[in-house]
Amino acid sequence: MSNRFYCPTPPREGKFRLDAEESRHLLRVCRHTVGDRVELFDGAGLSYVARVVECGKDAAWLEPEGPPTSDPAPPCLIEIGTAVPKGDRFDWLVEKAVELGVARLTPLITDRSVVDPRGSKLDRLRKTVVEASKQSGRSRLMDIDAPTNLRAFLERSDGLRLLADPAGVSPEGWPAIVRGAVVRLAVGPEGGFTEAERALAVSLGWRPIRLGPNILRIETAVLAGAAAILARCEPGDDQPVH
């Protein structure tokens, strides 16, 4: 992590300028100085090898050395809508979702929801996304939506739509996942979705799936689901996987 820094703004006059927070991390925490080479990433999928050329009190300027490198295309584009667990469990969920390569995370407001993150909580979670991206080598940031009503999320109609449900089909019976597809996974709160919510999802074309033999906590279900989806769209060709 100490050699990766987030710089979403393009270079001006051939130089990148880190913001105050990233500059302090580069200069004071990691103790880099003029001449050091580090990696910059823009959050949109590009990374650069860059050399520190100037240091200020709370600013650092770097010159790119060579063309940018692009993040490889993910095997599939995973979007997860999830109820929010209590305490710092959601922070941990966000960090691990970034590491797994989830593209978008939507906090869901459901009938049984007890946590509704907004404002400063969302700002902190987005900082968690940046830090997890530094650690994992990922150059495209995971998007975090504002809290969204379950119905609005379920009405997103494109892609393969999967509903985490202990009564759903087991993994061997999941539908085929085509490499490069958009896959959405909905995960409910403690106690699960209500019967009315489940019926709504099924009526809108969502497919109930079981993630394992045991009842999972929210964060476990999200990560188990994301990992299982990735494992099913990993082959090197573009053929469906069963």
Side-chain angles (χ1 to χ4, degrees), residues 2-199:
S2 62
N3 287 320
R4 295 195 88 226
F5 299 89
Y6 176 48
C7 185
T9 55
R12 296 184 60 183
E13 298 179 352
K15 295 179 183 179
F16 291 99
R17 177 175 177 171
L18 297 185
D19 67 17
E21 183 174 350
E22 288 292 276
S23 294
R24 286 192 292 269
H25 188 70
L26 181 140
L27 300 172
R28 300 182 188 178
V29 178
C30 301
R31 299 192 178 278
H32 287 299
T33 188
V34 171
D36 286 353
R37 288 176 173 81
V38 299
E39 183 179 348
L40 304 181
F41 68 101
D42 66 357
L46 296 180
S47 61
Y48 301 78
V49 174
R51 181 170 52 88
V52 181
V53 294
E54 186 178 348
C55 302
K57 182 179 178 181
D58 287 311
W61 291 263
L62 303 94
E63 289 183 349
E65 296 194 338
T69 300
S70 300
D71 265 1
C76 48
L77 196 69
I78 301 176
E79 298 189 5
I80 293 178
T82 178
V84 180
K86 296 178 182 178
D88 61 2
R89 290 160 52 199
F90 197 43
D91 300 67
W92 186 86
L93 185 160
V94 166
E95 178 184 279
K96 302 309 173 187
V98 170
E99 292 178 21
L100 281 171
V102 172
R104 179 178 295 274
L105 191 73
T106 303
L108 295 181
I109 303 170
T110 71
D111 288 345
R112 292 173 176 159
S113 290
V114 294
V115 180
D116 181 2
R118 295 181 185 272
S120 60
K121 172 70 171 178
L122 283 177
D123 291 340
R124 192 179 83 243
L125 289 172
R126 292 186 175 111
K127 289 183 179 179
T128 298
V129 170
V130 171
E131 294 305 311
S133 298
K134 291 180 184 180
Q135 183 275 327
S136 64
R138 178 173 172 173
S139 296
R140 185 178 299 277
L141 297 183
M142 181 181 76
D143 292 318
I144 298 184
D145 291 333
T148 300
N149 181 273
L150 176 63
R151 175 182 281 273
F153 183 78
L154 294 177
E155 288 176 344
R156 297 177 184 177
S157 59
D158 59 316
L160 176 63
R161 291 161 293 160
L162 305 174
L163 185 81
D165 183 349
V169 294
S170 57
E172 59 268 19
W174 288 14
I177 300 177
V178 178
R179 186 175 178 85
V182 174
V183 185
R184 290 197 171 91
L185 173 67
V187 174
E190 308 292 351
F193 293 115
T194 64
E195 284 301 317
E197 289 171 333
R198 185 182 183 281

